[in-house]
Amino acid sequence: MLLFLIIWLGAQIDFVFQPLVVAFRTLVGPLLIAGVLFFLLRPPMQFLVKRKVPKSLAILLLYFVAAGALALLALSVGPMIKTQFAQLIAGLPIFVERAVAVGYELARSEAFAVWLHRLNLDVESIASTASGYAMTLVDLVTSNLTNVLGAVANAFLLAVIVPFVLYFLLKDGDKMFEGFIGLFPKTRQADARKLLSEMDRTIGFFIRGQMTVAVCVGLLLLVGFQIIGLRYAVLLAFIAMVTNVIPYLGAFLSAAPAVLVGLAQSPDMALKVLIVTVVAQQLEGNLLSPWIMGKGLNIHPLTIILLLLVVGSLFGPIGLLFAIPGYAVSKVVAVHMYRFVRQRSDDEEKPVA
């Protein structure tokens, strides 16, 4: 109670917590991005170091390779994504009206009317509600273009700061690790090293595996969208690749815009998009994820879905990105703390010789 009272009193004084809040908001973005890149680039850096390449030179080589790959990707795919995004934003109101009209015509069909009658639903109310939500979405997108420009400016700022943070993480990460271990008593440093190593393995395993799966799903959807002739195929595949970073729920988030674009073209195209999406997600769930991710995290799918729903409601889209690794790390800590308490109690119960 005293601790909560101190926190509450401190929160009433702006100059106590306001600098901490500002510092956290300023540093959390670069540190998170640099942390993700750290787990992605550390394995190739360690590979080069084992080949007698100096660590600083290995980091710089990785920077040049990554910068070249990003530049090649930006020059080859960037203009296409930019053009399709501009076309989609420019024609969004007409596009939404057309999609709602096609959906309304589909809903007025006899087969669909039978199901609506059985479910006691009104076509007119559904169509008007969907149209209202769609126009609200259009207004939201158009009114937040200034926020998009601000996000672009912040992205340029991160592009300058993150490489410096990442360089020192890669170069001095081992020293930071050993320095943190040194804070523990010598009798517990072995347990602390084992715990931190397991946390490091879990986070790195999730980040590398999920990124690989997301890229593979994006490529599968790109090929499928190109085959069926879907408009904005590159942009929609890129959106799918980004959203598939979120396990399970990312598949539904990526399917929604693709189905809407297909519905605006024709009902048949929407059906084709659904088939392509389902095939890609089945390949991801039954082949890619088990092969790439395996059982390393040891988390049941139902636990992941419930966790994403709760964390998403509490913290929004950012929470979805860090829900699974956060839960995995918390699970590792809880297991090690239980073993530590159990071992300590067993040591105390041993008779003294």
Side-chain angles (χ1 to χ4, degrees):
M1 291 179 65
L2 182 61
L3 177 62
F4 282 118
L5 180 61
I6 294 173
I7 295 175
W8 180 80
L9 289 175
Q12 307 306 310
I13 308 173
D14 290 338
F15 67 83
V16 174
F17 278 100
Q18 188 64 27
L20 297 178
V21 172
V22 173
F24 176 79
R25 290 178 179 176
T26 304
L27 297 176
V28 66
L31 289 179
L32 286 177
I33 296 175
V36 171
L37 295 176
F38 168 76
F39 285 105
L40 292 175
L41 296 181
R42 186 176 57 175
M45 184 203 70
Q46 292 175 340
F47 175 81
L48 293 176
V49 170
K50 290 180 180 179
R51 299 300 185 276
K52 307 300 181 182
V53 179
K55 184 177 289 187
S56 298
L57 180 59
I59 297 172
L60 293 178
L61 288 175
L62 289 176
Y63 273 24
F64 281 119
V65 172
L70 290 176
L72 181 62
L73 187 64
L75 292 175
S76 58
V77 184
M80 193 179 304
I81 294 178
K82 180 182 177 181
T83 302
Q84 292 186 3
F85 181 77
Q87 293 174 352
L88 183 62
I89 293 298
L92 192 58
I94 301 175
F95 160 75
V96 171
E97 291 179 1
R98 188 183 305 168
V100 172
V102 173
Y104 182 75
E105 292 177 1
L106 180 63
R108 293 298 298 270
S109 63
E110 294 182 2
F112 200 77
V114 173
W115 286 102
L116 290 177
H117 179 71
R118 291 180 181 178
L119 297 174
N120 195 22
L121 297 175
D122 185 15
V123 179
E124 299 291 341
S125 62
I126 294 175
S128 61
T129 303
S131 179
Y133 281 130
M135 297 313 297
T136 301
L137 177 62
V138 173
D139 295 337
L140 183 63
V141 171
T142 54
S143 62
N144 284 278
L145 288 179
T146 55
N147 294 335
V148 173
L149 295 178
V152 172
N154 291 332
F156 279 110
L157 182 61
L158 290 176
V160 176
I161 297 176
V162 168
F164 289 98
V165 179
L166 177 61
Y167 175 82
F168 289 107
L169 285 178
L170 291 171
K171 185 176 183 295
D172 300 326
D174 296 336
K175 296 179 181 179
M176 296 177 186
F177 181 85
E178 293 299 328
F180 185 77
I181 294 296
L183 297 177
F184 290 87
K186 292 185 178 180
T187 55
R188 297 301 175 189
Q189 286 185 1
D191 295 332
R193 181 176 284 103
K194 184 177 179 181
L195 172 60
L196 292 179
S197 298
E198 185 67 20
M199 291 170 59
D200 176 81
R201 188 200 69 84
T202 300
I203 297 174
F205 177 83
F206 174 81
I207 291 176
R208 290 188 293 269
Q210 200 62 36
M211 290 291 183
T212 305
V213 170
V215 171
C216 292
V217 171
L219 293 176
L220 286 174
L221 289 175
L222 176 61
V223 173
F225 291 161
Q226 293 283 9
I227 291 175
I228 64 176
L230 181 66
R231 295 179 61 187
Y232 315 115
V234 178
L235 177 62
L236 293 173
F238 178 76
I239 294 174
M241 184 183 67
V242 174
T243 56
N244 268 275
V245 175
I246 304 172
Y248 295 97
L249 291 183
F252 298 98
L253 295 176
S254 63
V259 171
L260 287 176
V261 172
L263 189 61
Q265 290 185 231
S266 67
D268 292 338
M269 180 58 69
L271 180 60
K272 292 178 182 178
V273 171
L274 277 176
I275 294 174
V276 169
T277 304
V278 170
V279 170
Q281 295 303 329
Q282 288 298 314
L283 289 175
E284 182 268 333
N286 297 310
L287 182 62
L288 293 177
S289 288
W291 180 52
I292 297 174
M293 300 288 287
K295 301 294 182 180
L297 294 179
N298 196 22
I299 304 176
H300 195 275
L302 180 60
T303 303
I304 294 177
I305 294 174
L306 296 178
L307 183 66
L308 291 173
L309 291 175
V310 173
V311 175
S313 300
L314 292 175
F315 302 103
I318 300 298
L320 295 175
L321 297 176
F322 300 99
I324 306 304
Y327 174 81
V329 170
S330 301
K331 183 178 178 181
V332 170
V333 174
V335 169
H336 278 76
M337 289 299 295
Y338 173 77
R339 292 176 180 173
F340 168 74
V341 173
R342 185 70 179 268
Q343 182 180 1
R344 185 174 181 179
S345 61
D346 292 342
D347 293 340
E348 292 177 352
E349 291 177 358
K350 289 182 180 179
V352 180

